[in-house]
Amino acid sequence: MDYRTVYEGGKGEIIEKKSRFIAEVFSAETEEEAAEILGNIKKQYWDARHHCWAYIIGEEQVQERFSDDGEPGGTAGKPILEVIRGHHLQNVLVVVTRYFGGTLLGTGGLVRAYTQSAQAGIAASKLITKIGGYQLKIETDYSGLGKLQYLLAQRGLPVIGADYGESVTLATLVPAEEESAFIASVTEATNAQAVIRRDKACRFAYTDGEPVIF
């Protein structure tokens, strides 16, 4: 299953009636990892009044958690969670640290402040879509190289490695749902002369147009 997540976490900050809201966004794949990150944030901002947070973690069994950390119920953690949901993100933790400015904001003001700060944190982050698929290696003779390069370009599949010897072997990344169709097209284009090996299952994404393997 493909999902959107954070590749590089960002930081956003807003000031509302002298209260300072600092939002930080993290990639977290387990609840234990999220708890460790939250602990570090509390140490870093040890003098802050509140550390409110939310996360969505997991792929098949998704866990959603949030905390208002002393703010009135429903004014902090839930709005942060709704921002994560709104961006369709998974395996993401957002922590908003508040330094109290001396003026009460009221329920509506708190909801707006935590929502806006979480939005600012995500806006400052680099987001990616992690794709479930396979790394394939395709060996062909030089007469089939042009056909193979054309098929890869036509399907928008990257060349992540090449070995030129007596024959040529190209490595590529293929989404799981496209693998069968791609193999069939290579087999047809090369008259079944190409040798196709599934190297490994993996997740991959594109950032700045370049593939990244996880």
Side-chain angles (χ1 to χ4, degrees):
M1 182 182 72
D2 301 348
Y3 65 91
R4 273 168 60 81
T5 190
V6 170
Y7 183 61
E8 293 177 1
K11 183 176 180 180
E13 181 176 332
I14 70 166
I15 304 294
E16 185 68 28
K17 293 183 180 177
K18 297 184 180 180
S19 278
R20 183 183 175 200
F21 295 82
I22 306 166
E24 295 190 71
V25 181
F26 304 90
S27 171
E29 296 192 352
T30 66
E31 294 185 274
E32 291 77 14
E33 186 179 357
E36 182 178 350
I37 293 169
L38 182 60
N40 291 335
I41 289 289
K42 288 180 176 180
K43 289 176 185 176
Q44 181 181 354
Y45 301 108
W46 57 270
D47 55 341
R49 176 77 66 91
H50 305 282
H51 303 283
C52 304
W53 55 267
Y55 64 64
I56 297 178
I57 288 176
E59 296 174 29
E60 294 180 4
Q61 291 188 325
V62 176
Q63 302 293 324
E64 295 186 354
R65 301 280 188 272
F66 63 86
S67 170
D68 295 312
D69 193 34
E71 294 282 32
T75 63
K78 190 70 181 293
I80 298 169
L81 180 63
E82 290 300 333
V83 171
I84 300 173
R85 285 175 175 166
H87 284 82
H88 308 290
L89 298 174
Q90 289 176 238
N91 288 347
V92 170
L93 165 69
V94 179
V95 183
V96 179
T97 297
R98 180 189 182 190
Y99 283 92
F100 183 57
T103 301
L104 296 176
L105 301 183
T107 300
L110 286 171
V111 170
R112 283 191 300 274
Y114 280 102
T115 298
Q116 289 170 6
S117 53
Q119 292 277 19
I122 290 176
S125 304
K126 182 176 284 189
L127 306 180
I128 56 172
T129 298
K130 280 192 175 181
I131 303 165
Y134 303 101
Q135 183 172 315
L136 302 183
K137 287 187 176 178
I138 308 151
E139 182 180 354
T140 183
D141 57 28
Y142 282 87
S143 65
L145 177 58
K147 295 174 183 176
L148 180 55
Q149 289 173 325
Y150 172 77
L151 286 173
L152 290 168
Q154 185 184 46
R155 291 176 174 268
L157 302 177
V159 176
I160 61 169
D163 183 16
Y164 298 96
E166 291 186 5
S167 60
V168 60
T169 301
L170 299 183
T172 188
L173 299 166
V174 182
E177 65 272 13
E178 296 181 24
E179 184 192 30
S180 296
F182 174 67
I183 289 174
S185 66
V186 171
T187 301
E188 181 182 357
T190 62
N191 294 318
Q193 296 304 302
V195 177
I196 305 167
R197 295 195 315 275
R198 182 192 286 180
D199 212 25
K200 63 179 180 180
C202 63
R203 284 200 176 277
F204 61 95
Y206 293 93
T207 175
D208 298 325
E210 295 298 320
V212 180
I213 303 172
F214 299 93

